[in-house]
């Protein structure tokens, strides 16, 4: 099972590249330490907007449309796949409880549909100020993560030297 990737699967890469081309910035495989000691690693995390995106494989997450049930070693694979789905639901509940919006996409969803789902979710969530921590000094100027910028930065075209030509 060493060849099975935890990150950087083809559907995840395609979605990340498309979102990056649209000017969205995100964290990849970003570990979130939630209350109660639960750790969750979304495939794509927009930290300022608190949106966690998961691109689930049909086999590993038991897709009702395409998920296959292995015939060999059913005693091992059956409980493992059920446990994967249960862990997904527990992680979703923990993220929602922590104030995150969870987007789960199957690997077979067309790229255009996946992009529109994520962009719509991001448009519906507005980055807000971080919760006040009584132990930390107040810094209202730095409330959003610059990596989550929804708009790409404005860039000037490169300068040309007309005298060379």
């Amino acid at each position: 099972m060493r060849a099975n990737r935890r990150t950087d699967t083809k559907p995840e890469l395609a979605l990340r590249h498309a979102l990056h081309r649209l000017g969205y910035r995100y964290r990849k495989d970003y570990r979130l330490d939630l209350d109660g000691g639960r750790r969750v690693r979304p495939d794509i995390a927009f930290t300022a907007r608190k949106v966690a995106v998961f691109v689930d494989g049909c086999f590993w997450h038991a897709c009702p449309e395409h998920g296959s049930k292995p015939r060999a070693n059913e005693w091992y694979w059956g409980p493992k796949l059920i446990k994967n789905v249960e862990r997904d639901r527990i992680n979703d509940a923990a993220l929602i409880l922590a104030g995150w919006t969870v987007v789960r996409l199957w690997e077979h969803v067309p790229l255009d549909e996946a992009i529109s789902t994520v962009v719509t979710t991001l448009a519906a969530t507005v980055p807000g100020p971080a919760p006040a921590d009584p132990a930390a000094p107040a810094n209202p100027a730095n409330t959003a993560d610059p990596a989550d910028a929804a708009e790409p930065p404005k860039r000037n075209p490169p300068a040309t030297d007309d005298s060379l030509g």
Side-chain angles (χ1 to χ4, degrees):
M1 295 214 296
R2 294 166 86 190
N4 298 327
R5 293 183 165 270
R6 184 175 65 103
T7 64
D8 296 337
T9 61
K10 286 182 183 180
E12 180 188 335
L13 283 173
L15 179 61
R16 285 199 338 240
H17 290 307
L19 289 171
H20 195 272
R21 270 194 306 273
L22 290 174
Y24 290 98
R25 300 301 178 254
Y26 47 81
R27 302 280 186 246
K28 149 188 130 76
D29 194 38
Y30 185 69
R31 188 175 93 181
L32 301 171
D33 295 323
L34 304 176
D35 293 337
R38 184 152 257 334
R39 291 181 178 160
V40 181
R41 283 186 173 271
D43 297 323
I44 302 169
F46 296 91
T47 53
R49 293 176 183 263
K50 286 192 150 189
V51 174
V53 180
F54 295 90
V55 181
D56 293 337
C58 289
F59 174 76
W60 295 106
H61 298 271
C63 171
E65 244 179 273
H66 299 103
S68 61
K69 298 200 186 288
R71 288 183 223 142
N73 298 328
E74 174 61 33
W75 57 270
Y76 172 77
W77 287 108
K80 176 167 181 51
L81 297 178
I82 290 170
K83 201 162 98 176
N84 286 350
V85 173
E86 289 172 355
R87 186 186 63 237
D88 290 344
R89 299 303 153 248
I90 291 169
N91 287 343
D92 289 352
L95 283 166
I96 290 168
L97 194 63
W100 285 74
T101 302
V102 178
V103 177
R104 284 208 175 260
L105 302 166
W106 291 110
E107 68 179 352
H108 65 262
V109 171
L111 183 60
D112 294 338
E113 188 178 322
I115 293 167
S116 68
T117 301
V118 173
V119 169
T120 303
T121 304
L122 288 171
T125 57
V126 179
D133 184 8
N139 186 1
N142 190 13
T143 58
D145 189 348
D148 287 348
E151 293 291 324
K154 302 286 186 225
R155 301 214 168 134
N156 294 330
T160 58
D161 189 5
D162 294 331
S163 62
L164 296 175

